[in-house]
Amino acid sequence: MGIYKLVYLIPSASTGGMPQFVLKRIQEILKHTDEFEIHCIELNFHGADFVVQRNQIIDLLGDRFYEAGENKMRVMDIINQINPDIVHIEDVAERLPRELATALYSNNRNYRIVETPHDNIFNPDA
């Protein structure tokens, strides 16, 4: 077995409960296995006031933490550079910008996608 490259795509690491959830998940993976190279891409940085978990994620991942910035298609540049085995979307994928979602879910992708919605708008029957 080799090293699996895992990318967490999160809406924001600076507010709410999701940063804590993602931090804990990263800590547990790192604690129990060395088979993953973990990366994290933050779509939106909402401010420097609530960044305790964000800073902890950055401390764990170092230069494997990325900010998408204004151009959300930068996410695809980062993903193509990493060449991951798994992209884990920590949100409802329907909230992604359409252009990004179309590129991310391309039939020509070389990675698997995992989605974890964190709210009650998710409707699997829709």
Side-chain angles (χ1 to χ4, degrees), residues 6-31:
L6 168 62
V7 172
Y8 282 107
L9 180 58
I10 61 176
S12 173
S14 56
T15 61
M18 187 182 307
Q20 179 63 41
F21 186 87
V22 172
L23 171 63
K24 185 66 173 171
R25 191 180 296 220
I26 291 169
Q27 289 171 330
E28 289 301 311
I29 290 172
L30 293 175
K31 183 165 75 173

Side-chain angles (χ1 to χ4, degrees), residues 6-123:
L6 168 62
V7 172
Y8 282 107
L9 180 58
I10 61 176
S12 173
S14 56
T15 61
M18 187 182 307
Q20 179 63 41
F21 186 87
V22 172
L23 171 63
K24 185 66 173 171
R25 191 180 296 220
I26 291 169
Q27 289 171 330
E28 289 301 311
I29 290 172
L30 293 175
K31 183 165 75 173
H32 294 288
T33 183
D34 58 358
E35 295 180 3
F36 284 92
E37 176 185 301
I38 301 173
H39 301 257
C40 185
I41 304 172
E42 178 184 50
L43 282 175
N44 302 293
F45 179 62
H46 293 299
D49 291 332
F50 303 104
V51 293
V52 173
Q53 291 87 8
R54 183 180 195 270
N55 290 342
Q56 290 175 337
I57 293 169
I58 292 170
D59 287 344
L60 284 172
L61 300 182
D63 64 356
R64 294 187 317 262
F65 181 90
Y66 310 85
E67 295 178 30
E70 293 296 317
N71 178 7
K72 301 310 179 207
M73 288 307 292
R74 180 171 182 267
V75 169
M76 292 311 301
D77 295 335
I78 296 166
I79 287 173
N80 290 332
Q81 176 187 3
I82 295 167
N83 192 25
D85 299 289
I86 302 166
V87 173
H88 190 146
I89 302 169
E90 291 282 358
D91 197 12
V92 178
E94 288 80 3
R95 289 189 177 157
L96 295 172
R98 181 173 296 278
E99 185 181 14
L100 174 57
T102 300
L104 191 61
Y105 283 85
S106 166
N107 289 332
N108 298 322
R109 69 182 186 270
N110 295 321
Y111 49 84
R112 296 187 184 265
I113 295 176
V114 175
E115 296 178 16
T116 302
H118 290 266
D119 63 22
N120 59 4
I121 73 158
F122 177 70
N123 181 355

